[in-house]
Amino acid sequence: MSQAEKKLFDLSAMKMQREYKGLLYRNNSGALPDRNGTLVRFGLGNDSKQLNEVWKSPDSLGGTPITITPEMVGRTFLVLTGFEFKKPGWHMTPGDKRAKAQHACILDWRQAGGIAGFVTDVTHIDYYIQEFKNGK
């Protein structure tokens, strides 16, 4: 994660907590050898090299409390929320295999009812949460 992405994550985690009472945690992902030389994979969904080439979980994991209406008024549910932070001005390009794999994860989460997306500005969090609340 670049310094710009780290700063954006920090601002976003504070925003999620302050404005949405949400949770947002850093999702470090990778693989390193342990002291015996055995490769240890870490990060959500980083189960194998093959999977990691086509599906990458986002930089952050957490949840956004959403009150369900009308028949469930007053009940609050924590909705799986994940944002992949990119530097300001970033756009996905056709040859970006990493972003393509990240996008696959984002689509899976959204199709399953979660909140997820690429974030290059802290205001994108508002967009994704409103989009969810509006049923999109």
Side-chain angles (χ1 to χ4, degrees):
M1 180 180 269
S2 71
Q3 283 301 107
E5 292 167 344
K6 170 81 170 86
K7 183 177 180 182
L8 183 57
F9 168 78
D10 290 343
L11 290 171
S12 297
M14 288 187 293
K15 180 181 186 68
M16 283 290 293
Q17 208 172 45
R18 184 177 57 249
E19 295 181 28
Y20 297 101
K21 307 260 188 293
L23 308 169
L24 205 56
Y25 301 103
R26 183 79 176 90
N27 179 37
N28 292 308
S29 183
L32 294 170
D34 68 10
R35 67 179 131 215
N36 300 318
T38 304
L39 190 66
V40 177
R41 303 188 75 78
F42 53 92
L44 181 69
N46 189 13
D47 300 341
S48 69
K49 182 178 182 194
Q50 295 79 15
L51 177 61
N52 193 257
E53 288 175 356
V54 297
W55 193 94
K56 293 183 183 296
S57 57
D59 290 333
S60 66
L61 301 170
T64 305
I66 303 292
T67 302
I68 307 300
T69 58
E71 63 278 347
M72 295 181 175
V73 173
R75 261 190 95 184
T76 301
F77 295 84
L78 188 67
V79 176
L80 179 65
T81 303
F83 300 120
E84 177 63 36
F85 298 101
K86 300 294 185 185
K87 64 184 177 184
W90 175 88
H91 296 288
M92 189 162 50
T93 59
D96 189 341
K97 291 180 182 179
R98 182 176 185 81
K100 185 176 179 182
Q102 291 165 336
H103 190 242
C105 177
I106 287 169
L107 290 177
D108 283 351
W109 284 22
R110 291 172 64 110
Q111 288 171 354
I115 299 170
F118 289 105
V119 172
T120 60
D121 183 280
V122 71
T123 60
H124 293 159
I125 289 174
D126 298 318
Y127 170 79
Y128 291 121
I129 291 174
Q130 274 312 120
E131 186 180 59
F132 175 86
K133 287 182 175 182
N134 291 335
K136 295 181 182 175

